[in-house]
Amino acid sequence: MPLVKPSLSFQQIINMNVGFFGIQYSFGLQQTAVGPLYSFLGAHEGELPLLFLAGPVTGLLIQPIIGALSDKTWHPKYGRRKPFFLIGAIACSLCLFAFPFSRSLWMAAGLLWILDAANNTAMEPYRAFIADKLPSEQLATGFLTQSFFTGLGITLANVSLFVFQSFIKGQSEVGIPYWVYGSFFVGSFCSITSVLWSVVKTPEIPPSDEELIHMRAQKRNFLDPFFEIFEAIGDMPRVMWQLALVYLFQWYALFIYWQYVPLSIARSVWNTSSEENIQLYEEAAAWTGLVNGFYNVITFLSAFFLVGLAKKFGPKWVHIVCLLAATVSLLILPSIHDKYLLFAPMIGFGVAWASMMGVPYLLVVESLPKERYGVYMGIINMMIVIPMIIQTLSFGAIFEKILGSDPRNAISFAGALLAVAAIATAFIPTNESKMSQS
């Protein structure tokens, strides 16, 4: 007999997702602070894609393995998913604290590999946690609450860069400004405390007696998670393959944006680069943090509004419109020369980011077997990171040979790719994504 999941109050849904705030604060620092930090340590613009390889590679390796392991895990005291995102949060907190003490470019790159592995260990079980806990009619609220905390966490991370840059002066002997230290220290604190809140406040649903018997009867070895991943890919529903095509263009574009938006804004507004005038570039990097913080304000303000739209019109059409809004935003952004006008296109981009972080899961979750939520959420993350790996390996040549080594052209190119993602979304059959009405 299928398990009937009890409906949760809005406060309970908030409590279970608070930990996502700390995870996304860390992600916000990676989006906006790591690129400039690399520049402060002497990285050239064309090297940035390879220096960001840590995120997609660790996501490709870590998330599906953690998902497969958490599907097969149960502890009466610690639960199924919570041990994994707690371990990930502790490691993430330590890495964030250490990051600004990097003495060289390759030390920073190495810490980013560890930080991304920790973030991925924490993030993957959170997606499955929502599917585990919530009945169908509350899935939209659950996933888009994560979009809310994504926006809030990244907003505060980016705003902290701007605030600390305004008040904290000086730099370390290797050239890292002291205001960078403040943002990473705050991120270290937020990472562990927010996850602890969710761990303490949210009990997990225990498996049935039959599930426990099945878990304990299985013989385990090191290769089991890999076999589980390949088997799940072989059994993957068609709608997930279609989502993979959408993600190919969507996440390739987003990785371009995060790598090159500080450089694009430095060129279009300050008419400089990190190699020409480091002081002006610092101002541009801090202002980029404010711009990125603003679009994430829009994200957390619009996340719950998208819940209603997804229920009324279906998640597919909501995501198409949001991707087209982001397309327009990125096509406009490089032509803006007034730093205050940069905020206008970020409205559309912020709404789209809210959709990207929640709505696609609604397209597929009803098609997934509950006993494989963890591994399939990990496979969805593979669909995110494989385009990022392709981007890191291919975009350096595209940037130099096709886009004229101009970061403004890179942002426009990302906007065009988001339009292709919207077209690919239109081919996902609506009847394969059942959206429950509340």
Side-chain angles (χ1 to χ4, degrees), residues 37-39 41-44 47 51 103-110:
L37 190 146
Y38 281 156
S39 297
L41 291 172
H44 300 294
E47 296 174 324
L51 288 170
R103 308 290 294 178
S104 66
L105 181 61
W106 293 109
M107 180 179 173

Side-chain angles (χ1 to χ4, degrees), residues 373-393:
Y373 279 154
V375 68
Y376 274 122
M377 292 300 166
I379 290 170
I380 290 174
N381 191 69
M382 292 173 66
M383 298 174 184
I384 294 172
V385 299
I386 288 173
M388 290 182 176
I389 292 172
I390 294 171
Q391 190 271 345
T392 60
L393 297 176

Side-chain angles (χ1 to χ4, degrees), residues 153-317:
I154 298 176
T155 295
L156 294 181
N158 284 285
V159 170
S160 76
L161 292 169
F162 178 78
V163 171
F164 288 138
Q165 194 266 345
S166 301
F167 293 102
I168 301 176
K169 305 302 179 182
Q171 62 182 35
S172 70
E173 61 184 37
V174 295
I176 298 175
Y178 287 133
W179 53 268
V180 173
Y181 286 64
S183 295
F184 278 88
F185 292 166
V186 172
S188 177
F189 174 80
C190 290
S191 177
I192 188 61
T193 54
S194 63
V195 169
L196 279 173
W197 179 277
S198 291
V199 167
V200 171
K201 292 286 186 179
T202 309
E204 295 195 63
I205 298 175
S208 66
D209 293 338
E210 292 79 7
E211 286 177 303
L212 279 174
I213 292 170
H214 180 68
M215 283 183 193
R216 290 166 181 167
Q218 289 182 314
K219 294 181 179 179
R220 300 185 184 183
N221 61 60
F222 174 76
L223 295 176
D224 280 349
F226 299 96
F227 292 139
E228 177 68 18
I229 292 164
F230 286 115
E231 184 180 340
I233 291 173
D235 296 337
M236 204 160 71
R238 184 163 66 98
V239 67
M240 282 190 64
W241 290 106
Q242 293 170 303
L243 182 64
L245 180 63
V246 175
Y247 273 10
L248 173 63
F249 298 103
Q250 175 181 302
W251 289 98
Y252 193 111
L254 288 172
F255 222 43
I256 294 172
Y257 173 83
W258 292 323
Q259 290 169 1
Y260 285 95
V261 68
L263 298 164
S264 175
I265 288 175
R267 291 280 182 93
S268 63
V269 178
W270 275 266
N271 196 29
T272 191
S273 70
S274 60
E275 297 173 357
E276 294 169 357
N277 188 319
I278 193 64
Q279 185 175 355
L280 287 179
Y281 179 70
E282 278 193 42
E283 292 181 21
W287 194 262
T288 301
L290 203 60
V291 170
N292 283 346
F294 176 76
Y295 87 68
N296 280 284
V297 170
I298 301 300
T299 294
F300 73 75
L301 290 177
S302 61
F304 292 118
F305 178 67
L306 292 182
V307 174
L309 291 180
K311 289 179 178 179
K312 184 174 182 179
F313 299 107
K316 168 183 168 177
W317 299 109

Side-chain angles (χ1 to χ4, degrees), residues 25 37 40 45 47 50 65 78 100 107 112 116 124 147 171 175 257 277 301 325 337 346 348 355-356 368 371 377 381:
Y25 193 110
L37 190 146
F40 298 141
E45 293 178 358
E47 296 174 324
L50 283 176
I65 292 173
Y78 301 111
M107 180 179 173
L112 184 62
D116 270 311
E124 194 287 328
S147 293
Q171 62 182 35
Y257 173 83
N277 188 319
L301 290 177
H337 305 295
M346 290 296 99
S355 178
M356 293 173 196
L368 305 179
E371 67 275 7
M377 292 300 166
N381 191 69

